[in-house]
């Protein structure tokens, strides 16, 4: 079983969706990093502001370092309602002047002399952001460097980063959805030339093998060139097949006709009874070979014509009359009654004249050879939306169990003879291609056996 391939549209949309998803993931990641940086920057400014205020509150009083913690510093840090604040003031001797004595930083405090220092650490098992700044004391009674260390937990900044990331993700998702819709529309529009190319090929007549002249994008030009190259080669093959059929018809029929003529010249009176029987068999086999060869060539002609000929409105009455005249031999047994009936008005169908006539000829010829005993009737009629050709004879008919098989190639319509042919196969193929059917009517006491060729009527376009 052939594996079903996905469409080019779905492949392009899937790949664009993957690209958009990857781009969205990169944007969300970038938004997350930006949100963390923005949150850290905002809260670090608050932390540094509080540290600077506490540093400026350091004074030397009576040779001792004193600090009066400003309430504004804690109010500033209080803007982050979720966070807890820890602080420590270190005097020039390295002792804790006030605050949390266990608030240690993994750094040399002297680094803060050049400017404030910010770092991330853990204090009492929770992550904190630490700011350290130093102040030089130049009082005669006390000189050196004092340091202010403030630590703040990170819940507020993490919440801000999450909020910013969520908003950015929603925006990215909305933009990605709009981009996906735009991509689908763009891909659908971009693939229209492919559909137009396929439509141009579907609407072509079977016999039209001229090069395609459809305007396509540059990417499709090699494909169109390959199609035109293939059709050019196919046209050459079709012409070669036409010559082959014509040559075969001439080269095969001519020696068979000569062979039949030579056999007919043999004087039976001079032959022994046994030789006469052999001669009769030779005549029968020669006639059967000629008939079978003609059927093979006619079958090839029918197949080729339906691949190349254009269907035209035809008079089913006229075509059937021509087939009737061609199928009834001049030397028919005078005891056989043959008749042709048709309505006064033309029964119009859409078809190919040569192929349709050949189909009717084969049905009549099959009835003459394998069915007719004393009567053969050919009738043309119309019923509703269908035209009908009935070939009726008074022979034994074909059993209903064999109806399906006799329309196959090389199956005889008369059991027990060992003959085979293409008569019903040709007629059935023609009927099927023209949108009709080849059926049989069972022999009863009231009616004889009949072969019915039914085709849809051609409706004239009156617009």
């Amino acid at each position: 079983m052939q594996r079903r391939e996905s469409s080019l549209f779905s492949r392009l949309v899937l790949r664009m969706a993957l690209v958009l998803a990857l781009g969205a993931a990169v944007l969300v990641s970038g938004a997350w990093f930006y949100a963390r940086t923005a949150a850290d920057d905002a809260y670090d400014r608050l932390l540094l502001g509080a540290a600077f205020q506490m540093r400026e509150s350091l004074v030397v009083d009576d040779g001792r370092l004193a600090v009066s913690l400003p309430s504004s510093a804690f109010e500033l840090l209080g803007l982050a309602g979720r966070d807890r604040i820890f602080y420590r003031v270190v005097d020039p001797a390295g002792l804790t002047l006030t605050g949390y004595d266990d608030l240690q930083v993994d750094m040399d405090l002297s680094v803060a002399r050049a400017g404030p220092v910010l770092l991330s650490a853990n204090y009492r098992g929770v992550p904190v952001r630490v700011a350290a700044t130093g102040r030089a004391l130049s009082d005669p009674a006390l000189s050196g460097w004092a340091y202010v260390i403030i630590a703040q937990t990170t819940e507020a900044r993490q919440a801000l980063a999450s909020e910013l990331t969520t908003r950015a993700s929603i925006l990215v998702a909305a933009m990605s959805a709009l981009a996906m819709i735009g991509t689908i529309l763009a891909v659908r529009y971009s693939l229209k030339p492919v559909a137009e190319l396929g439509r141009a090929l579907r609407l072509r007549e079977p016999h039209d093998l001229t090069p395609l002249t459809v305007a396509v994008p540059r990417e499709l030009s090699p494909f169109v060139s390959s199609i035109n190259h293939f059709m050019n080669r196919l046209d050459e093959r079709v012409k070669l097949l036409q010559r082959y059929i014509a040559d075969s018809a001439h080269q095969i029929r001519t020696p068979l006709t000569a062979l039949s003529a030579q056999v007919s010249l043999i004087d039976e009176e001079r032959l022994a009874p046994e030789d006469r029987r052999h001669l009769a068999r030779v005549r029968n086999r020669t006639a059967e070979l000629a008939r079978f060869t003609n059927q093979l060539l006619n079958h090839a002609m029918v197949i080729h014509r339906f691949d190349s000929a254009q269907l035209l409105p035809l008079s089913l009455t006229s075509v059937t009359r021509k087939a009737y005249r061609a199928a009834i031999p001049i030397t028919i047994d005078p005891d056989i009654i043959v008749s042709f009936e048709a309505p006064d008005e033309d029964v119009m169908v859409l078809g190919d004249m040569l192929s349709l006539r050949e189909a009717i000829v084969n049905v009549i010829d099959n009835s003459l050879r394998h069915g007719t005993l004393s009567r053969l009737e050919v009738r043309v009629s119309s019923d509703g939306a269908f035209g009908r050709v009935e070939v009726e004879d008074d022979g034994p008919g074909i059993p209903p169990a064999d109806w399906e098989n006799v329309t196959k190639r090389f199956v005889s319509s008369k059991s027990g003879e060992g003959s085979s042919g293409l008569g019903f196969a040709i007629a059935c193929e023609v009927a099927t291609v023209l949108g009709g059917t080849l059926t049989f009517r069972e022999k009863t006491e009231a009616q004889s056996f009949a072969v019915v060729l039914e085709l849809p009527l051609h409706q004239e376009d009156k617009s």
Side-chain angles (χ1 to χ4, degrees):
M1 184 176 65
Q2 186 177 5
R3 185 166 60 92
R4 184 178 180 181
E5 297 289 344
S6 58
S7 66
L8 181 59
F9 172 79
S10 61
R11 291 184 181 184
L12 289 175
V13 170
L14 178 60
R15 283 163 174 75
M16 292 301 296
L18 292 176
V19 172
L20 287 176
L22 180 60
V26 172
L27 288 177
V28 171
S29 300
W32 180 73
F33 282 110
Y34 172 78
R36 284 196 58 184
T37 301
D40 285 340
D41 184 65
Y43 282 98
D44 283 349
R45 290 178 183 272
L46 296 177
L47 194 62
L48 286 175
F52 289 154
Q53 290 184 17
M54 293 179 65
R55 183 187 66 179
E56 295 303 320
S57 67
L58 296 176
V59 294
V60 178
D61 186 15
D62 295 332
R64 296 178 60 185
L65 181 63
V67 58
S68 177
L69 296 177
S71 60
S72 59
F74 294 98
E75 291 176 355
L76 190 64
L77 295 176
L79 295 175
R82 297 183 181 182
D83 289 334
R84 290 175 292 166
I85 307 299
F86 310 97
Y87 67 92
R88 180 187 175 200
V89 178
V90 181
D91 62 12
L95 300 177
T96 301
L97 182 62
T98 184
Y100 297 84
D101 190 56
D102 58 344
L103 180 59
Q104 303 291 334
V105 291
D106 189 15
M107 59 171 284
D108 186 1
L109 290 178
S110 62
V111 177
R113 296 177 182 178
V117 177
L118 289 167
L119 59 106
S120 297
N122 281 284
Y123 177 66
R124 297 185 179 182
V126 294
V128 293
R129 186 72 169 168
V130 179
T133 183
R135 180 178 180 179
L137 303 176
S138 57
D139 191 272
L142 182 64
S143 63
W145 282 86
Y147 302 95
V148 175
I149 303 172
I150 300 180
Q152 183 183 28
T153 56
T154 58
E155 287 89 349
R157 64 182 67 206
Q158 289 177 356
L160 178 59
S162 298
E163 182 180 358
L164 293 176
T165 303
T166 301
R167 293 180 179 179
S169 300
I170 294 174
L171 180 61
V172 169
M175 296 302 296
S176 298
L178 292 176
M180 192 65 209
I181 295 174
T183 298
I184 292 175
L185 296 177
V187 171
R188 180 70 71 184
Y189 179 79
S190 299
L191 291 180
K192 286 183 65 177
V194 179
E196 292 174 358
L197 178 60
R199 188 181 304 110
L201 288 173
R202 286 195 304 271
L203 296 178
R204 279 209 158 198
E205 296 292 339
H207 62 280
D208 187 2
L209 296 177
T210 57
L212 284 172
T213 57
V214 181
V216 296
R218 184 172 61 253
E219 289 77 9
L220 290 179
S221 296
F223 182 61
V224 175
S225 299
S226 299
I227 292 178
N228 290 336
H229 178 67
F230 173 78
M231 288 197 298
N232 183 52
R233 293 176 57 190
L234 181 60
D235 186 43
E236 294 176 357
R237 294 294 179 181
V238 169
K239 292 178 181 178
L240 181 63
L241 179 60
Q242 290 176 336
R243 292 194 297 269
Y244 172 77
I245 294 176
D247 294 343
S248 299
H250 176 74
Q251 297 295 332
I252 295 177
R253 285 171 175 164
T254 300
L256 283 176
T257 303
L259 177 61
S260 299
Q262 292 295 324
V263 172
S264 64
L265 294 176
I266 298 177
D267 187 2
E268 298 184 28
E269 299 297 330
R270 298 182 180 182
L271 298 178
E274 183 67 24
D275 294 334
R276 292 177 185 176
R277 287 193 296 271
H278 290 312
L279 178 60
R281 293 176 182 173
V282 171
R283 286 176 177 170
N284 292 336
R285 294 302 181 187
T286 302
E288 184 179 343
L289 177 60
R291 183 171 63 256
F292 181 59
T293 302
N294 287 332
Q295 286 183 336
L296 281 175
L297 295 174
N298 290 336
H299 186 245
M301 181 270 293
V302 167
I303 294 176
H304 166 68
R305 287 192 66 82
F306 278 129
D307 286 339
S308 58
Q310 185 175 5
L311 302 183
L312 300 172
L314 301 173
S315 170
L316 185 61
T317 304
S318 176
V319 175
T320 306
R321 183 177 284 112
K322 292 178 181 179
Y324 173 80
R325 292 172 180 172
I328 304 298
I330 301 177
T331 58
I332 190 174
D333 190 337
D335 294 331
I336 298 178
I337 301 174
V338 296
S339 64
F340 178 84
E341 299 179 16
D344 294 334
E345 66 278 1
D346 284 336
V347 179
M348 301 301 295
V349 297
L350 194 66
D352 172 64
M353 191 270 291
L354 291 179
S355 300
L356 183 56
R357 187 187 67 178
E358 186 62 32
I360 300 173
V361 165
N362 277 276
V363 174
I364 297 174
D365 180 74
N366 191 83
S367 179
L368 281 174
R369 295 182 182 277
H370 302 298
T372 302
L373 298 178
S374 61
R375 180 177 56 84
L376 172 67
E377 298 178 6
V378 179
R379 289 188 295 272
V380 179
S381 61
S382 62
D383 180 14
F386 292 90
R388 185 178 294 109
V389 177
E390 296 184 26
V391 179
E392 180 180 315
D393 61 63
D394 59 347
I398 303 174
D402 295 334
W403 288 356
E404 183 179 355
N405 292 327
V406 295
T407 56
K408 299 177 180 178
R409 295 187 299 170
F410 310 119
V411 177
S412 174
S413 61
K414 188 173 181 181
S415 59
E417 286 193 351
S419 61
S420 60
L422 291 167
F424 281 148
I426 293 175
C428 186
E429 286 187 17
V430 172
T432 302
V433 173
L434 297 181
T437 57
L438 181 73
T439 58
F440 304 94
R441 189 181 68 204
E442 188 175 3
K443 183 175 182 180
T444 62
E445 294 182 0
Q447 290 181 315
S448 300
F449 176 80
V451 181
V452 181
L453 179 65
E454 194 173 63
L455 299 174
L457 294 175
H458 174 64
Q459 304 294 333
E460 293 288 345
D461 188 4
K462 298 181 180 181
S463 61

